[in-house]
PDB file of all heavy atoms in Angstrom:
ATOM      1  N   GLY B 143       3.574  37.030 -29.133  1.00  0.00           N
ATOM      2  CA  GLY B 143       3.592  35.578 -29.204  1.00  0.00           C
ATOM      3  C   GLY B 143       3.793  34.891 -27.869  1.00  0.00           C
ATOM      4  O   GLY B 143       3.836  33.660 -27.812  1.00  0.00           O
ATOM      5  N   ASP B 165       0.422  24.169 -19.418  1.00  0.00           N
ATOM      6  CA  ASP B 165       0.120  23.774 -20.791  1.00  0.00           C
ATOM      7  C   ASP B 165      -0.884  22.622 -20.767  1.00  0.00           C
ATOM      8  O   ASP B 165      -1.436  22.294 -19.713  1.00  0.00           O
ATOM      9  CB  ASP B 165       1.416  23.372 -21.510  1.00  0.00           C
ATOM     10  CG  ASP B 165       1.961  22.069 -20.971  1.00  0.00           C
ATOM     11  OD1 ASP B 165       1.571  21.666 -19.857  1.00  0.00           O
ATOM     12  OD2 ASP B 165       2.768  21.428 -21.664  1.00  0.00           O
ATOM     13  N   ASN B 167      -0.386  19.466 -21.034  1.00  0.00           N
ATOM     14  CA  ASN B 167       0.070  18.382 -20.166  1.00  0.00           C
ATOM     15  C   ASN B 167      -0.308  18.638 -18.720  1.00  0.00           C
ATOM     16  O   ASN B 167      -0.839  17.764 -18.039  1.00  0.00           O
ATOM     17  CB  ASN B 167       1.594  18.235 -20.257  1.00  0.00           C
ATOM     18  CG  ASN B 167       2.054  17.642 -21.573  1.00  0.00           C
ATOM     19  OD1 ASN B 167       1.589  16.598 -21.973  1.00  0.00           O
ATOM     20  ND2 ASN B 167       2.959  18.337 -22.232  1.00  0.00           N
ATOM     21  N   PRO B 219      -2.592  11.179 -22.655  1.00  0.00           N
ATOM     22  CA  PRO B 219      -4.029  11.284 -22.940  1.00  0.00           C
ATOM     23  C   PRO B 219      -4.706   9.918 -22.976  1.00  0.00           C
ATOM     24  O   PRO B 219      -5.764   9.737 -22.387  1.00  0.00           O
ATOM     25  CB  PRO B 219      -4.067  11.955 -24.315  1.00  0.00           C
ATOM     26  CG  PRO B 219      -2.808  12.733 -24.394  1.00  0.00           C
ATOM     27  CD  PRO B 219      -1.786  11.919 -23.640  1.00  0.00           C
TER      28      PRO B 219
ATOM     29  P    DC E  16     -12.964  13.789 -32.520  1.00  0.00           P
ATOM     30  OP1  DC E  16     -14.037  13.758 -31.526  1.00  0.00           O
ATOM     31  OP2  DC E  16     -12.770  14.961 -33.404  1.00  0.00           O
ATOM     32  O5'  DC E  16     -11.587  13.485 -31.788  1.00  0.00           O
ATOM     33  C5'  DC E  16     -11.329  12.171 -31.329  1.00  0.00           C
ATOM     34  C4'  DC E  16      -9.916  12.127 -30.803  1.00  0.00           C
ATOM     35  O4'  DC E  16      -9.004  12.006 -31.904  1.00  0.00           O
ATOM     36  C3'  DC E  16      -9.536  13.400 -30.037  1.00  0.00           C
ATOM     37  O3'  DC E  16      -8.930  13.040 -28.819  1.00  0.00           O
ATOM     38  C2'  DC E  16      -8.580  14.120 -30.974  1.00  0.00           C
ATOM     39  C1'  DC E  16      -7.987  12.974 -31.790  1.00  0.00           C
ATOM     40  N1   DC E  16      -7.563  13.349 -33.161  1.00  0.00           N
ATOM     41  C2   DC E  16      -6.283  12.981 -33.610  1.00  0.00           C
ATOM     42  O2   DC E  16      -5.546  12.365 -32.849  1.00  0.00           O
ATOM     43  N3   DC E  16      -5.898  13.319 -34.860  1.00  0.00           N
ATOM     44  C4   DC E  16      -6.733  13.991 -35.663  1.00  0.00           C
ATOM     45  N4   DC E  16      -6.314  14.307 -36.888  1.00  0.00           N
ATOM     46  C5   DC E  16      -8.042  14.374 -35.224  1.00  0.00           C
ATOM     47  C6   DC E  16      -8.412  14.030 -33.982  1.00  0.00           C
ATOM     48  P    DA E  18      -2.586  15.326 -26.086  1.00  0.00           P
ATOM     49  OP1  DA E  18      -2.163  14.182 -25.286  1.00  0.00           O
ATOM     50  OP2  DA E  18      -3.466  16.350 -25.524  1.00  0.00           O
ATOM     51  O5'  DA E  18      -1.301  16.084 -26.647  1.00  0.00           O
ATOM     52  C5'  DA E  18      -0.461  15.406 -27.561  1.00  0.00           C
ATOM     53  C4'  DA E  18       0.736  16.302 -27.781  1.00  0.00           C
ATOM     54  O4'  DA E  18       0.718  16.705 -29.142  1.00  0.00           O
ATOM     55  C3'  DA E  18       0.713  17.569 -26.924  1.00  0.00           C
ATOM     56  O3'  DA E  18       1.814  17.544 -26.028  1.00  0.00           O
ATOM     57  C2'  DA E  18       0.786  18.721 -27.899  1.00  0.00           C
ATOM     58  C1'  DA E  18       0.725  18.096 -29.278  1.00  0.00           C
ATOM     59  N9   DA E  18      -0.477  18.469 -30.027  1.00  0.00           N
ATOM     60  C8   DA E  18      -1.683  18.843 -29.514  1.00  0.00           C
ATOM     61  N7   DA E  18      -2.588  19.112 -30.427  1.00  0.00           N
ATOM     62  C5   DA E  18      -1.927  18.874 -31.626  1.00  0.00           C
ATOM     63  C6   DA E  18      -2.319  18.958 -32.970  1.00  0.00           C
ATOM     64  N6   DA E  18      -3.536  19.329 -33.348  1.00  0.00           N
ATOM     65  N1   DA E  18      -1.412  18.650 -33.912  1.00  0.00           N
ATOM     66  C2   DA E  18      -0.202  18.275 -33.537  1.00  0.00           C
ATOM     67  N3   DA E  18       0.295  18.148 -32.305  1.00  0.00           N
ATOM     68  C4   DA E  18      -0.631  18.476 -31.392  1.00  0.00           C
ATOM     69  P    DA E  19       1.480  17.925 -24.551  1.00  0.00           P
ATOM     70  OP1  DA E  19       2.424  17.250 -23.668  1.00  0.00           O
ATOM     71  OP2  DA E  19       0.018  17.772 -24.304  1.00  0.00           O
ATOM     72  O5'  DA E  19       1.745  19.465 -24.558  1.00  0.00           O
ATOM     73  C5'  DA E  19       3.047  19.932 -24.202  1.00  0.00           C
ATOM     74  C4'  DA E  19       2.960  21.426 -24.190  1.00  0.00           C
ATOM     75  O4'  DA E  19       4.129  21.922 -23.561  1.00  0.00           O
ATOM     76  C3'  DA E  19       2.909  22.024 -25.588  1.00  0.00           C
ATOM     77  O3'  DA E  19       2.201  23.259 -25.508  1.00  0.00           O
ATOM     78  C2'  DA E  19       4.364  22.278 -25.881  1.00  0.00           C
ATOM     79  C1'  DA E  19       4.870  22.701 -24.492  1.00  0.00           C
ATOM     80  N9   DA E  19       6.266  22.410 -24.261  1.00  0.00           N
ATOM     81  C8   DA E  19       7.271  23.320 -24.137  1.00  0.00           C
ATOM     82  N7   DA E  19       8.434  22.788 -23.907  1.00  0.00           N
ATOM     83  C5   DA E  19       8.169  21.429 -23.862  1.00  0.00           C
ATOM     84  C6   DA E  19       8.985  20.299 -23.654  1.00  0.00           C
ATOM     85  N6   DA E  19      10.295  20.374 -23.439  1.00  0.00           N
ATOM     86  N1   DA E  19       8.426  19.091 -23.676  1.00  0.00           N
ATOM     87  C2   DA E  19       7.115  19.023 -23.892  1.00  0.00           C
ATOM     88  N3   DA E  19       6.222  20.017 -24.115  1.00  0.00           N
ATOM     89  C4   DA E  19       6.828  21.188 -24.082  1.00  0.00           C
ATOM     90  P    DC E  22      -0.112  36.532 -28.039  1.00  0.00           P
ATOM     91  OP1  DC E  22       1.027  37.329 -28.468  1.00  0.00           O
ATOM     92  OP2  DC E  22      -0.671  36.663 -26.671  1.00  0.00           O
ATOM     93  O5'  DC E  22      -1.312  36.761 -29.069  1.00  0.00           O
ATOM     94  C5'  DC E  22      -1.108  36.413 -30.427  1.00  0.00           C
ATOM     95  C4'  DC E  22      -2.334  36.768 -31.239  1.00  0.00           C
ATOM     96  O4'  DC E  22      -3.369  35.789 -31.020  1.00  0.00           O
ATOM     97  C3'  DC E  22      -2.970  38.124 -30.893  1.00  0.00           C
ATOM     98  O3'  DC E  22      -3.352  38.745 -32.111  1.00  0.00           O
ATOM     99  C2'  DC E  22      -4.169  37.745 -30.044  1.00  0.00           C
ATOM    100  C1'  DC E  22      -4.576  36.431 -30.683  1.00  0.00           C
ATOM    101  N1   DC E  22      -5.314  35.494 -29.806  1.00  0.00           N
ATOM    102  C2   DC E  22      -6.402  34.780 -30.332  1.00  0.00           C
ATOM    103  O2   DC E  22      -6.719  34.959 -31.504  1.00  0.00           O
ATOM    104  N3   DC E  22      -7.060  33.913 -29.530  1.00  0.00           N
ATOM    105  C4   DC E  22      -6.677  33.734 -28.276  1.00  0.00           C
ATOM    106  N4   DC E  22      -7.360  32.868 -27.531  1.00  0.00           N
ATOM    107  C5   DC E  22      -5.576  34.444 -27.719  1.00  0.00           C
ATOM    108  C6   DC E  22      -4.922  35.312 -28.517  1.00  0.00           C
TER     109       DC E  22
END
Side-chain angles (χ1 to χ4, degrees):
Chain B
D165 70 342
N167 288 307

